[in-house]
């Protein structure tokens, strides 16, 4: 298994932290299968690491609970599923209709996780852990409560309006982070009552924010988060042929992950969800997600959304086949050169 390129771990200074790595995932019944694929990828690539996985949910099916139990037994890991009481969930205002209520579940982490859990790696249900997590776990956050990868799509002045306006005063490199992967000092968040602040923001302003949970996290950690190297949350924007927002070292690191020469955490956020097949678009590293889907107990239980239009389905399948066979189409121009495709 290729290791992470040490040259790219610019923000990961080794420190002494508890040996057990704690992961946090949040899901509802609709996303449980996708969450299961994420958990499978983490376990598969960290067989030698002691993992404790915490799943916060408002309720998942008995079948999904059994599948998580199968993962626990197969990999000899700890998987703890906590059902959030509805009385607590009601503290949060309904989302603006675009997002599921489950986006807020991670805001309850400091209150619901055991007191002895003081550091966690949070993972969205649309990421794949294609690497060892020990270097990320041992990252020195320099006394800050959060470490994450910047999100260039949300850093522009015109994106930072309303409650996000104060972020404009920060440098572009530390204005706004993507919350799909976060290293969090839960002990510090409890001590500083940052969790209470986030829950208050969600209750008062959640329905008016474009990305409610992520915006709230950025407001709460304004000027108090440590930037991580981009391979700890490789987003689609980093895979375009020329990205002015990447340094030469970052571009090299992304290229190595895309070619399979190195490893990282890959984020398949919308509209690049591998299970959403309604559009003529797909993630160039979708085959990696497929690999872990097939390894998971959900391999035969993933619901795919298909376009009702036959021609859309036909052309999407054709584009994917050409991509795998390296037959050039206009789709190739959207992405950097990616030699490994299946």
């Amino acid at each position: 298994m290729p290791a992470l390129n040490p040259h790219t771990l610019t923000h990961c200074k080794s420190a002494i932290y508890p040996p057990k790595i704690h992961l946090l995932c949040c899901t509802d019944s609709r996303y449980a299968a996708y969450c299961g694929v994420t958990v499978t990828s983490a376990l598969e690539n960290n067989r030698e690491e002691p993992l404790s996985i915490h799943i916060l949910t408002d309720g998942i099916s008995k079948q999904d609970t059994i599948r998580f139990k199968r993962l626990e037994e197969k990999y000899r890991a700890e998987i703890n599923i906590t059902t959030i009481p509805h009385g607590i969930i009601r503290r949060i205002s309904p989302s603006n209709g675009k997002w599921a209520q489950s986006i807020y579940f991670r805001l309850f982490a400091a209150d619901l996780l055991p007191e002895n859990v003081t550091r966690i790696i949070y993972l969205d249900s649309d990421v794949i852990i294609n690497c060892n997590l020990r270097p990320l776990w041992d990252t020195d956050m320099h006394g800050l409560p959060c470490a994450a990868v910047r999100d260039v799509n949300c850093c522009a002045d015109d994106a930072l309006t309303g409650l996000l306006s104060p972020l404009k005063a920060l440098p572009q490199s530390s204005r706004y982070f993507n919350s799909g992967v976060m290293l969090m000092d839960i002990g510090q968040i409890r001590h500083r009552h940052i969790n209470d602040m986030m829950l208050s923001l969600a209750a008062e302003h959640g329905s008016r924010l474009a990305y409610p949970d992520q915006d709230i996290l950025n407001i709460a950690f304004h000027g108090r988060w440590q930037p991580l190297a981009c391979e700890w949350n490789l987003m689609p924007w980093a895979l375009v042929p020329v990205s002015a927002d990447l340094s030469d070292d970052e571009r090299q690191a992304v290229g190595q992950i895309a070619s399979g020469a190195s490893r990282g955490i890959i984020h398949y956020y919308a509209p690049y969800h591998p299970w959403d097949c309604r559009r003529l678009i797909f993630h160039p590293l979708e085959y990696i997600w497929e690999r872990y889907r097939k390894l998971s107990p959900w391999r035969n239980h993933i619901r795919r959304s298909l376009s009702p239009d036959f021609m859309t389905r036909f052309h999407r399948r054709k584009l994917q086949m050409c991509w795998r066979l390296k037959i050039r189409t206009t789709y190739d121009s959207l992405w950097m050169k990616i030699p490994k495709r299946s």
Side-chain angles (χ1 to χ4, degrees), residues 173-318:
S173 60
S174 57
R175 274 186 175 183
Y176 191 99
F177 60 84
N178 182 278
S179 61
V181 179
M182 296 181 292
L183 178 63
M184 305 178 77
D185 186 335
I186 292 294
Q188 189 176 158
I189 289 170
R190 291 185 183 117
H191 179 71
R192 295 188 178 187
H193 303 289
I194 299 174
N195 52 321
D196 295 329
M197 173 189 176
M198 291 190 293
L199 290 171
S200 295
L201 284 168
E204 295 175 24
H205 306 287
S207 60
R208 298 197 298 272
L209 294 170
Y211 302 99
D213 55 330
Q214 183 166 278
D215 288 349
I216 287 166
L217 287 159
N218 273 275
I219 294 167
F221 295 121
H222 175 193
R224 295 187 292 181
W225 61 278
Q226 170 74 20
L228 290 174
C230 63
E231 59 265 35
W232 291 120
N233 184 357
L234 184 62
M235 290 169 268
W237 63 261
L239 292 167
V240 298
V242 178
S243 176
D245 298 289
L246 288 177
S247 67
D248 290 341
D249 286 345
E250 287 176 322
R251 193 171 291 110
Q252 180 184 2
V254 171
Q256 289 178 333
I257 294 173
S259 67
S262 187
R263 297 294 189 102
I265 299 178
I266 304 167
H267 195 170
Y268 301 86
Y269 58 52
Y272 301 99
H273 287 155
W275 57 86
D276 187 350
C277 308
R278 293 173 295 176
R279 303 173 185 86
L280 288 175
I281 190 169
F282 56 91
H283 197 290
L285 301 181
E286 187 175 300
Y287 73 92
I288 297 178
W289 185 88
E290 279 292 328
R291 179 193 307 159
Y292 293 106
R293 178 191 67 81
K294 292 175 182 177
L295 288 172
S296 81
W298 289 267
R299 55 187 168 272
N300 298 320
H301 304 278
I302 296 288
R303 295 179 180 177
R304 295 184 186 273
S305 300
L306 301 176
S307 171
D309 180 63
F310 170 79
M311 292 308 295
T312 299
R313 297 197 303 271
F314 173 79
H315 287 300
R316 189 180 196 277
R317 183 69 62 87
K318 181 179 176 180

Side-chain angles (χ1 to χ4, degrees), residues 16-223:
I16 298 175
Y17 295 105
K20 181 177 288 186
I21 298 174
H22 290 270
L23 307 182
L24 172 65
C25 296
C26 300
T27 187
D28 56 19
S29 58
R30 295 179 301 168
Y31 265 68
Y34 313 133
C35 177
V37 176
T38 295
V39 171
T40 299
S41 69
L43 292 168
E44 186 68 23
N45 287 288
N46 292 270
R47 288 175 175 268
E48 303 303 318
E49 300 289 353
L51 293 186
S52 182
I53 299 170
H54 307 269
I55 298 174
L56 299 183
T57 179
D58 59 350
I60 61 175
S61 70
K62 181 179 179 180
Q63 291 79 9
D64 284 326
T65 301
I66 292 171
R67 291 176 188 123
F68 279 114
K69 185 66 177 177
R70 285 167 56 190
L71 283 179
E72 186 178 49
E73 293 170 352
K74 177 181 178 180
Y75 293 98
R76 298 182 181 179
E78 295 177 8
I79 300 181
N80 305 295
I81 300 174
T82 300
T83 301
I84 308 172
H86 289 292
I88 293 179
I89 297 175
R90 282 199 293 268
R91 294 168 59 187
I92 303 296
S93 65
S95 66
N96 56 18
K98 181 180 178 182
W99 308 99
Q101 196 80 353
S102 58
I103 63 171
Y104 292 123
F105 292 173
R106 52 186 164 171
L107 304 184
F108 298 112
D111 294 323
L112 297 179
L113 293 180
E115 285 294 322
N116 64 338
V117 177
T118 57
R119 171 176 278 230
I120 61 165
I121 297 173
Y122 168 80
L123 302 168
D124 267 356
S125 294
D126 55 3
V127 305
I128 285 295
I129 314 304
N130 200 35
C131 62
N132 182 276
L133 289 170
R134 178 61 60 182
L136 175 58
W137 180 254
D138 288 344
T139 296
D140 186 350
M141 292 198 286
H142 305 288
L144 298 172
C146 179
V149 177
R150 66 194 174 105
D151 192 332
V152 300
N153 292 332
C154 299
C155 286
D157 286 352
D158 58 357
L160 301 175
T161 59
L163 291 173
L164 296 170
S165 296
L167 302 184
K168 294 179 184 178
L170 299 171
Q172 283 273 357
S173 60
S174 57
R175 274 186 175 183
Y176 191 99
F177 60 84
N178 182 278
S179 61
V181 179
M182 296 181 292
L183 178 63
M184 305 178 77
D185 186 335
I186 292 294
Q188 189 176 158
I189 289 170
R190 291 185 183 117
H191 179 71
R192 295 188 178 187
H193 303 289
I194 299 174
N195 52 321
D196 295 329
M197 173 189 176
M198 291 190 293
L199 290 171
S200 295
L201 284 168
E204 295 175 24
H205 306 287
S207 60
R208 298 197 298 272
L209 294 170
Y211 302 99
D213 55 330
Q214 183 166 278
D215 288 349
I216 287 166
L217 287 159
N218 273 275
I219 294 167
F221 295 121
H222 175 193

